Amino acid sequence: MNRANAADAAVQVSVCICTFRRPELLDGLLASLAAQLPPGGSAEVVVVDNDPDASAAPVLARWSARLPLHALHVPVPNIAVARNAAIAAARGAWVAFIDDDETPDSGWLDTLRAAQQAHGADAVFGPVLPRHVATTPAWLRDGGFFDRPRFPTGTPITTRDARTGNVLIRRSLLDRVHAAGEGPFDPAFGRTGAEDTMLFHGLLALGARLVWCDEATVQEEVPPARATVGWLLRRSYRLGQTYMRSEIARRHGLARWVRAGWLGLRALVQAVVAAALAAVLGPFSRIRGLRWLRAAVAQVGKLSALTGHRYHEYGG
């Protein structure tokens, strides 16, 4: 075994980060990782700067001498392409993804690895907890609009709750999904989202075991620009679109048309009902009104996906 291969064999986990115009948050994330990476070269950090202007370059230059860091620049904004580049550069048998606006709590990486071993998992997911700023309206906090479901450790996970913001994945399975198409992440979803949903559908089709680890927490920044009704409605619209697209893309021929027709009809009915409930309940409870309004907007997003409209959230 030559020195390069020996170095690759020593790396057990590659922590992959894709960043887009968030140098300050990236700096904080790298500082947190530096405090908890195991010694001895068993872990590395791979950062892909997906900003055409390479805004992360100064931060990456500062950390290059302090972390086992592999930095890449992918200038065309597309989160799927960026993640594929990170996986291609990763040397570990396991790949951990964390977003550039997240900060891992103490022991995060060790906790994910321990859960994988305890449950014989191929992928382990952890909670992403919102970190609000002081200006976030109290009623938006109380409504739990930024909260995500949590489960007991060891709970099997499906694509409904599988995300790449806090996950440890077996590298060999990613390579198998890659062999089946352009992936492992599909660039066709790289500007709209749902590229991770498509990936986890692929992993489940291969028989992968996906489990939850409730102790492996990370904190996610909720900036003032997101703590608004407008942003929440746009997010619901996009999620409706990506759900519809991912459901249709996995089917072919007549099955695709049948699925699209059924989901479209259901979305139309649900949109009318949810909009009516939002109008009735909104004057009495902003929280309940917004919940139903978001549900209505999500259904509109599903219907718009059938017309070919695409909402590009990434790389704007």
Side-chain angles (χ1 to χ4, degrees), residues 12-178:
Q12 299 174 18
V13 181
S14 299
V15 179
C16 294
I17 305 161
C18 297
T19 187
F20 184 83
R21 296 177 182 171
R22 291 170 172 165
E24 296 85 3
L25 293 175
L26 176 64
D27 188 59
L29 169 55
L30 294 177
S32 296
L33 289 174
Q36 63 174 274
L37 288 185
S42 63
E44 66 175 356
V45 179
V46 179
V47 179
V48 177
D49 185 355
N50 203 204
D51 178 11
D53 298 326
S55 56
V59 173
L60 296 173
R62 287 197 302 271
W63 281 102
S64 60
R66 302 161 63 184
L67 277 174
L69 177 65
H70 186 178
L72 303 169
H73 182 217
V74 176
V76 178
N78 183 302
I79 189 63
V81 173
R83 285 179 174 149
N84 288 340
I87 293 170
R91 297 179 297 164
W94 292 87
V95 174
F97 276 102
I98 186 168
D99 289 346
D100 62 351
D101 59 348
E102 296 173 349
T103 305
D105 289 329
S106 177
W108 165 71
L109 189 56
D110 287 341
T111 304
L112 283 175
R113 296 176 68 187
Q116 183 279 317
Q117 294 172 5
H119 298 281
D122 297 299
V124 182
F125 301 85
V128 178
L129 309 179
R131 186 175 65 242
H132 293 284
V133 297
T135 56
T136 300
W139 73 277
L140 284 180
R141 295 192 194 193
D142 295 342
F145 296 109
F146 297 92
D147 297 336
R148 298 174 183 175
R150 298 179 68 171
F151 312 94
T153 295
T155 300
I157 296 299
T158 67
T159 55
R160 178 175 180 175
D161 298 294
R163 299 176 179 86
T164 46
N166 179 6
V167 62
L168 178 71
I169 311 175
R170 192 186 299 274
R171 169 64 182 272
S172 60
L173 276 178
L174 292 174
D175 291 340
R176 289 177 64 187
V177 174
H178 179 82

